[in-house]
Amino acid sequence: MANWCSNTVVFEGTPEAIEQVQQLFKAMAEKEKKEKCGQLPIFLKDFNEGFFFDIYQEDDVTGVFQYETQWSPNIEAVYKIAELCKVDCTLDYQDLGGGVYGRATFIDGIRTNYFLKHEDFGQLEFDQETDTFHFEGKNYDSEYDILETILERKIQNHFNSIKSLNNEIIK
């Protein structure tokens, strides 16, 4: 049985492009209900993985979708949707049981994927007695805030490295 990876994707672009994304996800959700199986957009018919399951969207929110995938996020499928619809996107994904936590983006045609590694998960400690997580001398009721902090630091360190390289090149 597959582990399930929870995904939230936010698309940004022109109203017309976002409407195209809305229609695409609506069609996949309707087809999933009928066929009772994961879906891919028709233009990804040659993909053998990355199926969207349990597609959900808040009624009053446009361009934001939540769904499940088996084992890992379907980053490549999301990139293809963003490319085709000419939109930017941010995909946050997690399967804590499988040690998967990260963020992939497609902005101005540039793809990024930042994710936590095994040693990153090792930075937090769980105290069974108090049912809390410990990280950098503080207690947390949930590991999500800790993992988000670690991921944000990784992303910031990446940007700082790029900035430092650019400064070296300019000198």
Side-chain angles (χ1 to χ4, degrees), residues 12 26 28 35 40-41 46 48 53-54 56 58 62 70 77 83 89 91 109 112 114 125 133 138 169:
E12 296 178 323
K26 181 179 176 185
M28 284 194 301
E35 297 178 359
L40 285 171
D46 294 333
N48 292 324
F53 292 86
D54 300 324
Y56 174 77
E58 300 272 337
T62 303
Q70 293 180 330
E83 252 176 355
C89 70
L91 171 65
T112 65
Y114 302 99
E125 299 172 19
F133 292 87
K138 295 181 183 174
I169 292 169

Side-chain angles (χ1 to χ4, degrees), residues 46-131:
D46 294 333
F47 272 44
N48 292 324
E49 60 187 11
F51 291 88
F52 293 76
F53 292 86
D54 300 324
I55 300 166
Y56 174 77
Q57 182 180 29
E58 300 272 337
D59 289 336
D60 58 342
V61 179
T62 303
V64 180
F65 303 91
Q66 297 167 339
Y67 60 93
E68 303 289 318
T69 51
Q70 293 180 330
W71 303 111
S72 60
N74 58 350
I75 297 168
E76 193 60 34
V78 172
Y79 285 160
K80 293 288 185 191
I81 291 169
E83 252 176 355
L84 180 77
C85 296
K86 295 180 177 42
V87 293
D88 293 339
C89 70
T90 300
L91 171 65
D92 287 307
Y93 56 87
Q94 65 180 335
D95 169 11
L96 298 187
V100 174
Y101 192 91
R103 177 174 301 137
T105 63
F106 184 84
I107 299 173
D108 295 329
I110 298 171
R111 300 171 178 212
T112 65
N113 184 20
Y114 302 99
F115 54 91
L116 300 185
K117 295 180 179 179
H118 179 71
E119 57 267 19
D120 296 318
F121 284 89
Q123 294 183 46
L124 53 105
E125 299 172 19
F126 181 68
D127 184 338
Q128 290 182 341
E129 268 185 38
T130 61
D131 196 31

